[in-house]
Amino acid sequence: MPFKKGAVLTCLLFLSGCVALAANHYESVFGPAQTQQREVVANTPHATQYLNGVKPIIEQRCVVCHGCYDAPCQLKLSSPEGIDRGLSKEPVYNGTRLLAQTPSRLLIDATSTQQWRDKGFTAVLNEHQQSADANLAASVMYRSLILKQNAELPAQQVLGDEFDFSLDRTATCPSIEEFDSYAQKQPHAGMPYGLPALEQNEFAVLQDWLKDGAKMTQIAPPSLTELAQIEIWEAFLNQDNLKARLSARYIYEHWYLANIYFDEANKSDSPSFFKLVRSKTPPGEAIDIIATRRPFDDPKVDRVFYRLQHQRDTLLSKTHMPLALNQSKLERLTAQFIEENYQVTQLPSYEPEVASNPFKSFAELPVKSKYQFMLDEAHLIISGFIKGPVCRGQIALNVINDHFWVAFVDPDKNSSPQISELLLNHEDDLALPAAEQSNALPLSSWAKYAKRQHEYLNAKTKLANKVFADGNNLTTDLIWQGEGHNRNAALTVFRHFDSATVVKGFVGQSPKTMWLLDYALFERIHYLLVAGFDVYGNVGHQLITRLYMDFLRLEGEQNFINLLPQPKRQAVKNYWYRQSHLSLSEFINRKTILAAPTGIQFKADDPQAELYSKFKQHLQPVLSERHAYQLVPKPLLSLSSLPSKAVNVLPQVSFILVKHGEQHKAYTLIHHNAHYNISSLLNEQGQRAYDEDTATIVPGFIGDYPAAIWYLPNEEHVHSFVENMHNMKNEEDYRALKLQFAIRRSHPQFWHYSDLLHEVAKQYKGIEYGLFDYNRLENR
């Protein structure tokens, strides 16, 4: 029976009264709440206790779920500032909000704990009277840990319905005043949530630390050698002439997500990392960050300074994008942007319609310089599409296939005067949805950008038909070969439903589709999905971003298709978009198939497969073999040919550890969801081609969010595991397999295997290592 309005109001008043009583209780017992000074200087007993004892436990047991934007309750435990900030009931990822949300980026949108309290964040540490008893009793962190200590999980079993592991679950996020009620209603919800409790010795370390006031300190500062490199690079990025200032702005807008390190200055396994930021203050002074939603938003200062800020938080695999800077990189940038013969007459404005359109704002930079700059670090730039804030959530990712390869048009062939003229004449048609800022109206915006895309593609196709009229130049010679040494020339993207990964090389079996990117397409994808995307934007902004990406995906696919024999081009496209009603995006792109013939001589009956082979041959010198599935031992390699019914049961990403003597080898088993097409925005399941699902197994680690962890202690287990995988047909079979070989959430030694997994990952990933995230770890 529905509640009456008066009854609902009475309940709400009662609950708010309970919270008020709880607040009064804590104030009466422990005094009024106020933020505390917890940071201590280095080389003190408190600092040593935190760095050597507490920090490793928080990282290995807490940060694996509480590390970034998508951490439950925005509780980011990867730095002292995040621990002190606490939690919020407001989720960052909300695909339904009508108005843009106020950003809550740590170290950017507030500079003190009190400012976070004013923004609605509540403490997880005691902020009442500072005594041993109060520091435990009034700490949400301690109460959450002790709640788990009192509720053990059933060993190696599937957990019950009282646990909700869905990414979009409604988090409770209790303040200390609400915690008693929370614990009574959810006695199973202690931390780590849905995972085993901490070992007693680990719990004792955190208990002593909390009891003592939770004092924290920062990691060691950069070395003198690194500081010297910062001085060199900040001098380069902050020269006074217009050419250098425009170049620095362009570099910043492409590198601002990178974790920068100096590979010649620090040869250790754990160098310092830095973020390139915009500051109100010049080199030599303390950094004063310019806090804007996007990297190209109006800084509201007369002069922007580009600075390197030390990154002090824990590295997370899902956001870690390392970028090495050294003398050769400095010389490369100088040659590309400073020594090139061109003039900059004035700096572009920061008005949204200009700043959001790189073809307007950076029109005076040479096309070849810009494109070669992006290609030099193509893996980093595309990783921004994947590991930037857009990556969270299936709505953001259902615009791409589960497995595809990426190659690039050679910059010498993509920077002719004709191309430059095309971009100049159509700079308005190349405008991107970020011009609407963060509160877009999707339908009217889409119609406007669809018309512009149509105009640009018509002009592009007309020019291509003219240039390639005889077919002699439409060959694999168009493809960038990485100058014979750069492994960024060939990339593979894996989508894992609501996350994704990009790696170097053409990895896995031949994919269904492939992208061939030219400069204008590469640039637009970056400004659509990275520089121009606001994770705090409204539903309209997110929707128009998704719809516009349809154009860009289709364009990248069409560039590849245009290399096929002319009679085969439409047939291949039709297969990629089977059972698809002609979407508006496809309608706009309908005339992009070239009339010009290909210059490639095809001999096989399957020209698409032959073209893949020609791409691999053309790029062979720079193909990374790091994840070559052919290097997987023969018994495990057969997992790449699992029957579709077995693949259907698998999660998106499974990590497999195999013990060989005293060593461990790591492999990743990836489930590729097949689709008849990906032109449907809201009905992805209706387009699923389940009988065509495939799996790929590769050496090492692909993916940042393991859904399943398997441990095989010897060869006998390997053979049994593989045999059972091939015979698997349903969920019951899968659960039986997990009971035998998996490290489930409820495994009594889960944390031992978690530590082992990360130790092995350090060996495989090197400078790319970061903690995995367990928010997608399945309960099966």
Side-chain angles (χ1 to χ4, degrees), residues 440-457:
L441 298 173
L443 294 181
S444 59
S445 298
W446 185 91
K448 176 172 62 177
Y449 292 110
K451 183 177 184 297
R452 291 175 176 178
Q453 172 75 353
H454 182 57
E455 295 295 326
Y456 167 69
L457 286 180

Side-chain angles (χ1 to χ4, degrees), residues 16 47-48 78 91 96 164 167 257 262 282 328 332 339 341 376 413 424 502 514 590 603 610 685 705 766:
S16 63
T48 301
S78 51
T96 62
D164 183 358
L167 284 179
L257 288 178
F262 304 108
S328 63
R332 178 75 161 178
E339 295 174 350
N341 184 22
D376 285 349
K413 298 178 175 61
L424 182 64
V502 55
M514 183 171 180
R590 70 195 183 284
K603 299 177 182 178
E610 187 176 355
Q685 289 302 110
Y705 303 86

Side-chain angles (χ1 to χ4, degrees), residues 533-607:
F533 184 79
D534 179 15
V535 70
Y536 298 94
N538 77 334
V539 61
H541 167 70
Q542 297 184 44
L543 184 59
I544 187 60
T545 298
R546 161 62 176 81
L547 291 171
Y548 193 93
M549 186 56 204
D550 263 339
F551 298 147
L552 305 188
R553 183 199 67 250
L554 285 160
E555 189 177 343
E557 292 171 345
Q558 192 62 58
N559 286 345
F560 170 79
I561 286 175
N562 286 336
L563 289 171
L564 292 169
Q566 195 175 27
K568 299 288 187 180
R569 294 172 187 171
Q570 190 61 53
V572 168
K573 191 170 185 177
N574 289 344
Y575 178 75
W576 290 358
Y577 290 90
R578 288 170 292 159
Q579 300 187 18
S580 171
H581 298 293
L582 184 64
S583 72
L584 292 175
S585 301
E586 290 172 80
F587 179 76
I588 293 299
N589 285 56
R590 70 195 183 284
K591 293 184 178 179
T592 60
I593 294 181
L594 289 185
T598 181
I600 301 173
Q601 298 300 313
F602 288 91
K603 299 177 182 178
D605 293 334
D606 185 346

Side-chain angles (χ1 to χ4, degrees), residues 112-124:
S112 70
T113 304
Q114 185 56 53
Q115 288 178 3
W116 287 119
R117 296 291 169 269
D118 295 340
K119 289 176 178 289
F121 280 75
T122 58
V124 295

Side-chain angles (χ1 to χ4, degrees), residues 125-347:
L125 303 175
N126 172 38
E127 291 189 340
H128 294 273
Q129 168 192 322
Q130 296 295 289
S131 67
D133 289 342
N135 287 340
L136 297 182
S139 165
V140 169
M141 179 180 283
Y142 179 75
R143 300 284 298 277
S144 298
L145 292 171
I146 200 72
L147 185 63
K148 171 51 65 75
Q149 294 285 324
N150 295 329
E152 293 185 11
L153 298 180
Q156 191 61 339
Q157 298 297 313
V158 176
L159 301 179
D161 292 340
E162 67 272 18
F163 289 95
D164 183 358
F165 297 114
S166 60
L167 284 179
D168 296 322
R169 65 182 181 271
T170 301
T172 307
C173 311
S175 64
I176 189 60
E177 293 81 11
E178 299 164 329
F179 197 86
D180 287 338
S181 174
Y182 167 80
Q184 185 176 12
K185 293 176 181 176
Q186 301 187 56
H188 60 280
M191 297 295 154
Y193 182 76
L195 292 166
L198 274 59
E199 297 289 339
Q200 282 302 312
N201 62 323
E202 296 173 334
F203 176 78
V205 169
L206 293 190
Q207 179 176 252
D208 290 345
W209 170 67
L210 290 165
K211 184 188 295 186
D212 204 24
K215 302 300 182 183
M216 295 176 280
T217 194
Q218 300 293 348
I219 61 174
S223 68
L224 293 177
T225 310
E226 289 169 329
L227 290 174
Q229 287 295 308
I230 289 174
E231 188 174 346
I232 292 171
W233 278 90
E234 288 189 347
F236 170 76
L237 291 165
N238 292 288
Q239 300 173 69
D240 290 331
N241 65 80
L242 294 184
K243 179 188 284 189
R245 289 177 66 180
L246 184 61
S247 300
R249 176 171 165 179
Y250 184 79
I251 292 167
Y252 165 74
E253 291 183 14
H254 291 77
W255 280 5
Y256 73 98
L257 288 178
N259 281 340
I260 292 169
Y261 68 103
F262 304 108
D263 59 349
E264 294 174 348
N266 192 329
K267 301 295 185 180
S268 71
D269 294 333
S270 53
S272 297
F273 289 95
F274 305 86
K275 276 282 194 288
L276 186 58
V277 299
R278 295 197 299 179
S279 174
K280 300 174 184 177
T281 50
E285 298 182 18
I287 292 173
D288 186 358
I289 285 184
I290 296 168
T292 57
R293 285 180 179 268
R294 296 175 175 85
F296 52 71
D297 283 345
D298 189 349
K300 302 188 187 307
V301 294
D302 292 335
R303 173 76 187 269
V304 170
F305 296 97
Y306 299 98
R307 307 288 303 279
L308 287 162
Q309 182 184 53
H310 187 208
Q311 286 297 102
R312 302 179 301 193
D313 53 349
T314 302
L315 293 175
L316 308 173
S317 180
K318 63 184 177 180
T319 57
H320 183 39
M321 293 177 278
L323 170 64
L325 297 189
N326 47 44
Q327 184 60 32
S328 63
K329 175 64 75 174
L330 187 62
E331 293 170 358
R332 178 75 161 178
L333 293 177
T334 301
Q336 288 171 331
F337 293 109
I338 308 301
E339 295 174 350
E340 277 290 313
N341 184 22
Y342 67 98
Q343 298 296 319
V344 175
T345 56
Q346 64 179 7
L347 296 178

Side-chain angles (χ1 to χ4, degrees), residues 751-764:
W751 294 117
H752 164 76
Y753 288 103
S754 174
D755 292 342
L756 175 62
L757 183 74
H758 282 104
E759 283 300 316
V760 176
K762 284 181 184 178
Q763 300 167 23
Y764 274 86

